[in-house]
Amino acid sequence: RRVHGGFNPKMSMLLKFRLQPVFRAPCLRVDSRAITIPKPVSRAGSHHVWKKHARNPWGNFARPTLVADKAGKGIIDNPLTNKGTAFSQPERDRIGIRGLVPPRQMSMKAQIQRVLRNYHSLNEDLDKYLYLTDLQDRNETLYYKVLIEHIEEMAPVVYTPTVGAACMQFGNRFRRPRGMYFSAADRGQMAAMVYNWPSRAVDVIVVTDGSRILGLGDLGTNGMAIPIGKLALYVAAGGVDPSRVMPVMLDVGTNNENLLQDPFYLGLQHRRLEGDEYYAIVDEFLTAVRYRWPHVLVQFEDFASVHASTVLKKYKDEHLCFNDDIQGTGAVVLGATFAALKAKGLPATAIKEQRVMVVGAGSAGVGVSEAIAAAMEQLGLSSEAARANFYLFDKDGLLGHTRKTLNAEQRPFARKDLRDGLQRLEAVKDIRPTILLGLSSSRGIFTKELLKEVSKHQERPIIFSLSNPTANSECTAEQAYEWTEGKAIFASGSPFRPVHLDGKTFIPSQANNMYIFPGVGLGGVLSGARILDDSVFLAAARTLGDCCTPEMIAKGQLLPDVKDIRGVSHAIACSVIEATMASGAATINIDRADIAEYVEDSMYAPEYAPLVPVPYLDDGNF
């Protein structure tokens, strides 16, 4: 054995005694790519022969063993290795924690029951959020096991809508740091400070600058709860390894007057940097993380409209990145639209014939419009003809070509045939939209009079109220069904309960981005993609649109049940890999027939693995 300082016979005997399980099972470091290991094809001599796309060389001939870089209390303090009361008695001796945990060993099943009992004893969703956050900070394996098994119940607590309240209280309830903060005060230091992150490998980064958190506006560093929540769904819904994700806050200041005066605010208390200073910080951050982790996928999250499109446009052809508010929202709405067309008895090709009224002309509204327009173009429409099907509205009314404040992204959708500033109700009478989309973050903007007018001209109007959190929804599910007399094909950005009307039960779908970004991220990482182009999100949308059965669509359901989210993410990841291979963006080459198995083998599954501490070995090899 190799040990620090040369060969030591006594240490060699100690290793032989203490590390005996390593010689019976494959061995993974804590930050290894996945705990689930693909099956070997065959064995030759002392070497394993595995498929060329296999993640790990050991094969699945035994339970994997995690190699921890620390022993004793260091293992308990690390949420990636801590098992709480589930450490076996031999393991307690092996890793030096006998006496540091209660003597009784509990199974994971018993631990889950205790977590659920405590969870259900809480009445407020924010208290439940904080309880699960504490669990994540103690024991990530147990946290993700609970979250995966109860994803339908807990997803609204871990992310929208509860995460909005968590952001509002982030500074006041701060407990323990998670993720990294890159700030304007770190200019010139980011290339060095990125090495402060303990994991040697990172697959996915979610970064926000806190400038437009959900529909709540500028929350500065309090928006850190957003990347943390997104990455929890990357793991639970997408099967990304929790040891290989990193939430990031890009702190360039805040324009929120309350935060500037708040003595307990945790971020920089000066006004936001703008212009070249702002973009220089974004560039330095991306350069730093790409230098340390060349293949990392970066998801931009909740950037204000003034910067979101500019940042995406600058980096999308150079870095493996995407903006979830623009591309993710666009894909999930497009997928729900494909399903809505099925509900109307129309083929997917009918999308090019739809008249789309979009209330909300920010980055999300324009992003959704671009996604649907791209689908129309793929079916043969020119760019101009596709965009002629759209009518975008902001707080001042319809976007007309005479508007002087149009940005570059809005300009292709500006109307020349209708006057600028035309109000919504008047426009509905002229446009007679087949699809009404709300991305305005303006509560109740879909009034009773507006929805009645829409349904007057359409037998089955498609109405999507997409703003988050629930308090910002353009209308509720009950209002949509009641005011259209049950004719609406409805989806929302926030969850709503089933609606009972005139003896019928309508099941509203939540068009949440969690149906898209975990699968897109997983597929992007597994394909080794250099970039994610538009074909990726179109493929993801088509896959999502095919996930509902005819029986589900008949009940008004446009998207699959959240409890099936891992299966949805698996299907989307497969379609992303196919799309990146077709476009030449992928760096792997795998038979199409093997993609599903490859993705399944690579998805993280939270199970306790035997632990072995090896602080005294050079590299953990035996």
Side-chain angles (χ1 to χ4, degrees):
R1 308 294 184 274
R2 288 175 291 162
V3 296
H4 293 298
F7 182 78
N8 184 326
K10 293 183 178 179
M11 183 63 75
S12 179
M13 294 182 64
L14 177 63
L15 288 175
K16 184 176 181 181
F17 172 74
R18 294 187 67 193
L19 305 184
Q20 188 67 25
V22 169
F23 300 99
R24 295 200 305 268
C27 186
L28 299 176
R29 282 195 177 275
V30 170
D31 65 351
S32 62
R33 181 164 294 259
I35 290 180
T36 303
I37 302 176
K39 299 177 182 179
V41 177
S42 63
R43 295 185 64 181
S46 61
H47 301 283
H48 301 294
V49 179
W50 65 95
K51 296 179 181 180
K52 61 184 177 182
H53 59 271
R55 303 287 287 181
N56 294 294
W58 301 280
N60 200 21
F61 56 88
R63 279 200 305 165
T65 298
L66 287 180
V67 175
D69 291 333
K70 294 181 180 179
K73 197 170 185 301
I75 287 179
I76 300 174
D77 292 339
N78 185 347
L80 290 169
T81 53
N82 182 32
K83 301 181 184 180
T85 56
F87 291 103
S88 68
Q89 298 302 325
E91 194 171 40
R92 298 178 188 209
D93 289 331
R94 187 168 65 245
I95 61 179
I97 63 167
R98 181 177 286 274
L100 300 182
V101 294
R104 182 185 173 190
Q105 179 187 353
M106 298 186 71
S107 65
M108 179 180 277
K109 181 178 180 180
Q111 288 181 315
I112 292 173
Q113 291 173 344
R114 182 172 58 191
V115 167
L116 292 176
R117 182 193 65 185
N118 294 336
Y119 178 86
H120 289 132
S121 71
L122 302 172
N123 295 320
E124 299 296 327
D125 284 346
L126 183 58
D127 291 332
K128 293 179 179 180
Y129 172 92
L130 294 171
Y131 176 73
L132 290 177
T133 297
D134 287 341
L135 176 61
Q136 184 183 20
D137 288 339
R138 294 193 312 271
N139 183 338
E140 290 205 26
T141 307
L142 181 59
Y143 168 79
Y144 285 114
K145 187 71 171 180
V146 171
L147 183 55
I148 289 171
E149 291 186 354
H150 302 272
I151 188 72
E152 193 166 27
E153 175 186 3
M154 294 182 175
V157 173
V158 171
Y159 200 59
T160 55
T162 309
V163 73
C167 287
M168 299 293 288
Q169 297 292 323
F170 188 81
N172 295 329
R173 296 175 180 257
F174 183 79
R175 284 174 164 81
R176 171 177 174 169
R178 176 175 285 270
M180 284 197 75
Y181 295 79
F182 293 82
S183 75
D186 300 316
R187 281 177 284 191
Q189 302 298 321
M190 295 183 189
M193 64 183 282
V194 73
Y195 285 90
N196 292 339
W197 187 250
S199 294
R200 287 184 288 265
V202 172
D203 286 336
V204 180
I205 290 173
V206 176
V207 56
T208 184
D209 67 356
S211 57
R212 191 195 64 84
I213 299 300
L214 300 175
L216 304 173
D218 182 353
L219 297 185
T221 56
N222 288 354
M224 183 56 147
I226 295 294
I228 292 172
K230 285 279 186 178
L231 287 169
L233 294 180
Y234 262 108
V235 177
V240 175
D241 191 324
S243 70
R244 299 173 74 101
V245 300
M246 186 171 81
V248 170
M249 167 55 63
L250 205 59
D251 184 5
V252 296
T254 179
N255 293 335
N256 186 318
E257 291 294 341
N258 291 331
L259 298 179
L260 289 172
Q261 303 302 322
D262 185 352
F264 302 111
Y265 176 60
L266 301 176
L268 298 179
Q269 288 185 301
H270 62 64
R271 298 227 166 245
R272 285 187 171 274
L273 300 181
E274 297 292 347
D276 292 342
E277 283 187 299
Y278 174 85
Y279 292 114
I281 289 176
V282 175
D283 197 64
E284 184 179 350
F285 159 72
L286 283 172
T287 300
V289 298
R290 282 294 301 272
Y291 183 82
R292 185 177 181 194
W293 303 294
H295 308 294
V296 67
L297 181 147
V298 177
Q299 176 182 314
F300 300 113
E301 186 69 28
D302 285 354
F303 281 64
S305 299
V306 67
H307 294 309
S309 297
T310 303
V311 170
L312 178 62
K313 185 177 295 185
K314 180 176 180 180
Y315 297 107
K316 68 176 184 177
D317 296 328
E318 302 175 8
H319 296 258
L320 180 61
C321 66
F322 71 100
N323 184 302
D324 188 48
D325 302 298
I326 298 175
Q327 296 160 292
T329 302
V332 73
V333 173
L334 179 57
T337 302
F338 282 132
L341 293 175
K342 288 183 182 179
K344 296 180 71 168
L346 298 174
T349 54
I351 196 168
K352 66 181 181 180
E353 301 162 3
Q354 304 305 304
R355 295 183 300 279
V356 187
M357 180 173 171
V358 183
V359 180
S363 59
V366 174
V368 167
S369 301
E370 288 285 1
I372 300 176
M376 294 178 177
E377 289 180 46
Q378 193 181 57
L379 293 170
L381 292 188
S382 67
S383 176
E384 293 76 14
R387 283 155 183 78
N389 288 327
F390 290 82
Y391 303 81
L392 271 60
F393 292 75
D394 65 5
K395 60 183 178 60
D396 298 318
L398 178 71
L399 297 189
H401 76 286
T402 59
R403 178 90 58 102
K404 295 182 179 180
T405 57
L406 293 173
N407 60 39
E409 288 70 38
Q410 294 170 333
R411 194 165 292 115
F413 293 97
R415 304 297 304 193
K416 296 180 180 179
D417 54 341
L418 296 170
R419 65 179 174 85
D420 179 59
L422 185 68
Q423 293 304 298
R424 293 179 294 277
L425 182 59
E426 184 181 355
V428 167
K429 297 176 181 178
D430 291 336
I431 298 168
R432 300 188 177 188
T434 58
I435 300 175
L436 176 63
L437 305 178
L439 298 110
S440 65
S441 296
S442 297
R443 181 178 184 176
I445 202 170
F446 287 177
T447 63
K448 181 177 182 178
E449 190 177 13
L450 182 74
L451 295 189
K452 279 185 171 296
E453 186 66 33
V454 170
S455 63
K456 184 188 298 184
H457 303 289
Q458 302 297 330
E459 181 61 30
R460 299 292 309 280
I462 298 171
I463 299 173
F464 292 172
S465 170
L466 299 168
S467 292
N468 280 311
T470 308
N472 291 344
S473 293
E474 287 79 10
C475 69
T476 66
E478 185 175 6
Q479 290 169 341
Y481 291 121
E482 181 181 339
W483 293 344
T484 63
E485 299 177 352
K487 295 194 295 183
I489 300 173
F490 180 80
S492 60
S494 295
F496 288 105
R497 297 183 182 278
V499 175
H500 305 284
L501 181 68
D502 296 334
K504 295 182 180 179
T505 298
F506 299 92
I507 303 176
S509 292
Q510 184 185 1
N512 194 297
N513 292 16
M514 70 179 289
Y515 283 108
I516 290 292
F517 69 80
V520 168
L522 179 65
V525 169
L526 295 182
S527 67
R530 292 183 290 268
I531 61 170
L532 298 175
D533 60 19
D534 291 343
S535 68
V536 164
F537 296 95
L538 185 55
R542 287 190 175 278
T543 301
L544 180 61
D546 290 335
C547 284
C548 279
T549 64
E551 292 76 20
M552 296 164 70
I553 291 176
K555 295 179 182 179
Q557 189 173 349
L558 305 179
L559 296 167
D561 295 327
V562 173
K563 62 182 175 60
D564 299 322
I565 189 66
R566 280 176 72 94
V568 174
S569 296
H570 177 276
I572 289 176
C574 291
S575 68
V576 168
I577 293 173
E578 290 188 32
T580 55
M581 289 175 60
S583 69
T587 56
I588 67 162
N589 187 13
I590 179 175
D591 291 338
R592 184 173 181 178
D594 293 332
I595 291 177
E597 181 184 359
Y598 168 48
V599 173
E600 182 178 358
D601 286 343
S602 302
M603 292 177 72
Y604 165 79
E607 300 290 346
Y608 289 140
L611 285 170
V612 174
V614 200
Y616 25 69
L617 289 185
D618 290 333
D619 53 12
N621 293 321
F622 296 89

